[in-house]
Amino acid sequence: MENYKAVGRIIGSPLNGLCERMCINVDCVLDACRARRDSQNATVILTDITQGATPPFTFVGAVGLGGSQFDVTSTCSAQNGCSRISGTLHVPVVATFTDANGMCCHGNAVISMSRNIVLRLPQNTNIDYRIEGDGGLICVSGAFLSDTAVSLTFCIVETYRVIRRADIIVPTYGYAVFPDCRECDGCAALMNALLGEENGT
């Protein structure tokens, strides 16, 4: 298989193997920004709690589930051709805890945060675009305030993007050629990994 047909780092001249111009339909990011916030606090109400869980509960941890949503409430002009965007970022999380019987349980919640950011929006009103936001969240600590309410302290990395769909022309090496799949003996792989740990390798 020739190298330029495989996915990976380019070896040699990047011009080697270019064979066509391809039109692809993609999300084009017109502007973006990122915020890192430590020691954030929120109180959430858990839903979809593990059936049969018996209070009182002991908090273990919480993580973001992905699938964040940014609801824009208003935009207004700012300096240098940018706009001030106000909205609420909703980040789904799953909390892990133990119940009175020591059973490991879970519950879902959403952390909602008001945000004001500055991004460059298209000046042409004929351009259809959307504003997206997502948050990668890690919980530092938490405590139950009641059987369903939990106080959380967390760190979050937020990313906001102005996006439009676009048809763009890119140079390509043609369609990818993939190698044949190799069968994997799951049991053998697991045993090799365990033996490697025991031997310190």
Side-chain angles (χ1 to χ4, degrees):
M1 181 174 59
E2 297 184 18
N3 179 66
Y4 62 81
K5 288 289 188 180
V7 177
R9 295 180 62 86
I10 294 176
I11 300 174
S13 171
L15 300 179
N16 182 39
L18 286 178
C19 59
E20 64 180 338
R21 290 172 293 180
M22 183 178 291
C23 177
I24 60 176
N25 182 256
V26 297
D27 279 341
C28 178
V29 179
L30 304 179
D31 198 9
C33 65
R34 179 165 289 167
R36 296 171 176 84
R37 306 178 195 271
D38 297 327
S39 302
Q40 301 292 293
N41 298 294
T43 297
V44 298
I45 303 299
L46 296 183
T47 61
D48 302 322
I49 294 176
T50 301
Q51 189 173 8
T54 304
F57 301 136
T58 302
F59 182 82
V60 175
V63 295
L65 285 174
S68 302
Q69 180 177 336
F70 184 54
D71 292 333
V72 177
T73 55
S74 66
T75 61
C76 61
S77 298
Q79 297 179 343
N80 301 321
C82 294
S83 297
R84 178 182 175 183
I85 302 163
S86 299
T88 303
L89 179 66
H90 305 283
V91 182
V93 297
V94 58
T96 303
F97 53 94
T98 57
D99 73 349
N101 300 315
M103 181 174 69
C104 182
C105 307
H106 301 87
N108 297 327
V110 175
I111 296 177
S112 298
M113 298 159 284
S114 296
R115 294 292 184 249
N116 290 291
I117 57 175
V118 175
L119 289 170
R120 194 177 301 276
L121 302 180
Q123 299 301 308
N124 186 344
T125 56
N126 293 323
I127 295 179
D128 187 23
Y129 67 90
R130 66 184 187 274
I131 302 170
E132 292 186 353
D134 61 68
L137 182 148
I138 298 177
C139 185
V140 177
S141 61
F144 274 87
L145 304 178
S146 69
D147 291 345
T148 57
V150 183
S151 174
L152 300 175
T153 299
F154 57 93
C155 302
I156 186 170
V157 177
E158 304 168 22
T159 305
Y160 300 91
R161 302 177 182 88
V162 180
I163 295 175
R164 65 165 297 192
R165 294 297 295 179
D167 296 315
I168 63 173
I169 298 292
V170 296
T172 79
Y173 301 96
Y175 293 98
V177 175
F178 297 111
D180 294 334
C181 292
R182 293 180 294 175
E183 295 296 330
C184 176
D185 185 336
C187 292
L190 177 59
M191 292 304 297
N192 289 336
L194 293 175
L195 291 173
E197 292 179 358
E198 293 176 357
N199 297 329
T201 58

